[in-house]
């Protein structure tokens, strides 16, 4: 069974601070995706990383895929209250996703 | 374009009953997956269908079943409901047959409460 561990589970920060969320596994994934979920809604895809060592930027969000394709990180610069939500990493193995436990982020104004 | 539509949004059932949830994928998407989300276990994979065939199944008891129709719409059924089946059930669709670099588009889910 492939497992993805996310850390931290909870994060409460002030507006303007930076943060990093980690997603680690002992397994190799063909790709890794990051989703953001708001209460009462389904997860929304933020990014897909495919190549080991790949770095993708989405405005203030920077995603990195580890060289061995077993881990990933999400860095948010100058967090804003609108970034509040549940961040989920998901490893793609064949035609199913294995999700990490999620990081619940709260950004206070 | 229309997103993934799940019906109903909310459902309350009694232990021992059965329930059927519906999912309409994005037009042109042939793969439909189902996930269960609970506070304790997070998001767990139930099963995936492609062209009316179940191609992958998660570690859930046989009470959980599903099917996909020729128009790619999918249903999942849970029989003999237990209190622990209370969860948000999410459906996701994608266009590709195997892995999806384009990611999956999730519906808003069906919140099932078993009392």
């Amino acid at each position: 069974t492939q497992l993805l561990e996310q850390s931290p589970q909870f994060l409460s920060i002030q507006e303007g601070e930076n943060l990093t969320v980690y997603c680690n596994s002992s397994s190799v994934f063909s790709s890794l995706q990051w989703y953001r979920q708001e209460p009462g809604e389904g997860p929304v895809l933020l990014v897909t990383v495919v190549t080991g060592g790949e770095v993708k930027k989405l405005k203030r969000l920077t995603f990195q895929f580890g060289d061995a394709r077993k881990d990933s990180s999400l860095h948010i610069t100058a967090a804003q209250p609108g970034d509040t939500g549940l961040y989920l990493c998901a490893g793609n193995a064949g035609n199913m996703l294995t999700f990490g436990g999620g990081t619940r982020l709260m950004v206070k104004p | 374009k229309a997103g993934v539509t799940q019906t109903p949004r909310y459902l309350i059932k009694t232990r021992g009953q059965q329930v059927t949830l519906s999912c309409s994928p994005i037009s042109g998407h042939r793969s439909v997956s189902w996930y269960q989300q609970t506070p304790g276990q997070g998001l767990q994979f139930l099963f995936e269908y492609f062209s009316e065939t179940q191609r992958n199944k998660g570690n859930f008891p046989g009470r959980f079943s599903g099917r996909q129709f020729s128009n790619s719409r999918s249903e999942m059924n849970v029989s003999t409901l237990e209190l622990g089946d209370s969860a948000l059930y999410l459906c996701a669709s994608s266009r590709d047959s195997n892995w999806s670099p384009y990611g999956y588009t999730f519906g808003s889910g069906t919140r099932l409460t078993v009392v």
Side-chain angles (χ1 to χ4, degrees), chain B residues 40-60:
Chain B
Q41 300 296 320
L43 267 151
Q44 292 186 292
F45 173 76
L46 280 157
F47 26 66
E48 187 259 356
Y49 288 88
F50 182 82
S51 293
E52 301 179 67
T53 300
Q54 184 184 90
R55 296 190 306 168
N56 210 341
K57 190 176 190 303
N59 190 24
F60 278 82

Side-chain angles (χ1 to χ4, degrees), chain A residues 66-100:
Chain A
D67 291 340
R69 305 204 332 266
K70 293 183 181 180
D71 56 88
S72 181
S73 64
L74 156 61
H75 182 79
I76 301 179
T77 304
Q80 298 176 359
D83 295 327
T84 293
L86 178 66
Y87 289 82
L88 296 155
C89 65
N92 201 317
N95 41 40
M96 61 174 278
L97 291 175
T98 298
F99 280 89

Side-chain angles (χ1 to χ4, degrees), chain B residues 76-87:
Chain B
M76 69 162 280
N77 184 277
V78 188
S79 63
T80 320
L81 284 165
E82 300 177 0
L83 294 179
D85 296 333
S86 295

